[in-house]
Amino acid sequence: SESNEVDGWMLINGELINYSERKCAFHSKIHRRVAGSAVVTNFRVVFQSRFDKNGIGFQIPLSSIVSMEKPKEPVKKADVERHAIDIVSKDFNSVRLAFSEWSQRNQFLKQIQSAISSLYQNGVKSCFAFTFTSSEPSGWKLYDAKMEYGRMGVLNDSLSSSGSSSSSSSSSSSSNSTPSGWRLSFVNASFALCSSYPQIMCFPASISDETIRLAAQFRTKGRVAAMSYVDPFSKTAICRCSQPKVGLSFNTSQHDAELMRAIFDQRPDHSVQKLHIVDARGVKAAMGNAIMGAGSEGFLPEYSFCRFRFFNIENIHVMRTSWMALMSICASHQHHPDDRDTHSDKWLQELSD
């Protein structure tokens, strides 16, 4: 079994209860006030209803918690639980736990903070994923890169069915190549090229591993342009990469430009005259990043075969603040918010830019 019951709580294997509060309430936008109990484990914060343990409640993994704070507006005097905590998670979900005594709230908050701190005391292996035990096959084997590329029609049958155990690094552009014009590369087998990229990647067959290594040096954090998806009908590919290290000196890389040109040559329709590069940032942000040694290749003549489009999306911190402001407006009004509110959160402005 992957779970077991401890003191009325269903826990998954490896999960331990650090702290329990039997009397508290969950304030939901839908159900208003729900009386129940809550626990802090080495994995998550869980609340369950006093009357329906399998019904109304919530669970938030500790590593998903963004912030915990006292409510900005006072809890209603009619509520028994006057002392509350608002917990916001990385998926923008917000829940409120309320307690009858301030000491209960402070103790529960302290326990959550302590549990979160312990996650990072001894590095990544302190995380619950390394404590969890399962009778199922290793999660690392659930994803097979070769099978995924084969599913998209990039690889021929022999490559897509040969498994993903190979870790040899090929320096030849013809190794593992396919009729589709793409090939597998194990250049990142030991994550030396890029720690946030997979071990097996797909590149144009004309590009060698040595060119990939040199091109990666021109991209922040080594995130070289690699194929992510191929449309099964049009055979049009989507590749992703990080911003280039252009800087204020307008640095260039012939290897990166060569890789980009090879990606462009994979287009199924050769009447298309430009390789489209989409940048989620704004032009001003890209220029600002140039001061920090990065920027955009849109200002370099080596990429004249590319067409650049900036989406003008603010960074994640600005977007999160705007979204949370919108959620706060929605939660605090029974009727439609007025124009001043919708302008203050700037969310509609972000969507329209």
Side-chain angles (χ1 to χ4, degrees), residues 106-123:
N106 291 352
Q107 181 63 18
F108 198 82
L109 180 60
K110 182 179 179 181
Q111 291 295 328
I112 298 176
Q113 292 171 333
S114 175
I116 293 175
S117 297
S118 66
L119 288 179
Y120 307 103
Q121 284 181 348
N122 301 312

Side-chain angles (χ1 to χ4, degrees), residues 29 58-60 87-95 323-324:
K29 296 181 180 68
F58 71 82
Q59 56 177 322
I60 301 178
I87 304 175
V88 180
S89 59
K90 291 179 180 177
D91 61 356
F92 304 113
N93 188 28
S94 177
V95 298
W323 174 258
M324 294 309 300

Side-chain angles (χ1 to χ4, degrees), residues 45-257:
V45 178
V46 189
F47 173 89
Q48 64 183 19
S49 169
R50 184 179 302 166
F51 307 104
D52 183 8
K53 293 185 178 181
N54 296 318
I56 303 168
F58 71 82
Q59 56 177 322
I60 301 178
L62 296 171
S63 58
S64 295
I65 295 176
V66 174
S67 65
M68 297 179 291
E69 57 186 17
K70 299 177 183 178
K72 293 181 179 179
E73 70 279 2
V75 179
K76 295 179 180 178
K77 293 183 178 181
D79 292 336
V80 177
E81 300 85 4
R82 299 284 306 281
H83 307 277
I85 304 173
D86 284 341
I87 304 175
V88 180
S89 59
K90 291 179 180 177
D91 61 356
F92 304 113
N93 188 28
S94 177
V95 298
R96 174 173 295 179
L97 271 180
F99 308 84
S100 57
E101 301 291 337
W102 70 267
S103 57
Q104 291 176 295
R105 179 195 62 195
N106 291 352
Q107 181 63 18
F108 198 82
L109 180 60
K110 182 179 179 181
Q111 291 295 328
I112 298 176
Q113 292 171 333
S114 175
I116 293 175
S117 297
S118 66
L119 288 179
Y120 307 103
Q121 284 181 348
N122 301 312
V124 68
K125 290 195 174 181
S126 298
C127 293
F128 180 73
F130 293 90
T131 305
F132 173 69
T133 56
S134 173
S135 59
E136 297 295 323
S138 171
W140 294 108
K141 298 179 181 179
L142 296 178
Y143 171 78
D144 187 312
K146 289 186 177 180
M147 289 183 64
E148 280 298 299
Y149 288 127
R151 179 183 63 82
M152 291 188 284
V154 176
L155 309 179
N156 59 30
D157 292 339
S158 62
L159 282 175
S160 61
S161 61
S162 60
S164 60
S165 59
S166 174
S167 60
S168 61
S169 177
S170 168
S171 59
S172 169
S173 62
S174 61
S175 298
N176 296 316
S177 62
T178 73
S180 68
W182 298 90
R183 73 174 182 92
L184 292 182
S185 173
F186 302 94
V187 67
N188 198 41
S190 61
F191 299 105
L193 185 79
C194 178
S195 61
S196 60
Y197 265 18
Q199 292 173 295
I200 302 175
M201 294 183 284
C202 211
F203 295 96
S206 61
I207 298 297
S208 68
D209 280 358
E210 182 61 23
T211 299
I212 295 169
R213 289 190 187 94
L214 294 171
Q217 294 176 10
F218 185 61
R219 296 284 168 174
T220 56
K221 298 185 178 180
R223 293 171 183 164
V224 67
M227 191 264 280
S228 299
Y229 174 77
V230 171
D231 183 81
F233 302 104
S234 69
K235 303 303 180 184
T236 301
I238 297 177
C239 301
R240 63 97 61 200
C241 62
S242 61
Q243 60 181 324
K245 298 177 181 179
V246 175
L248 295 177
S249 301
F250 293 95
N251 302 315
T252 63
S253 168
Q254 66 179 69
H255 305 287
D256 185 80

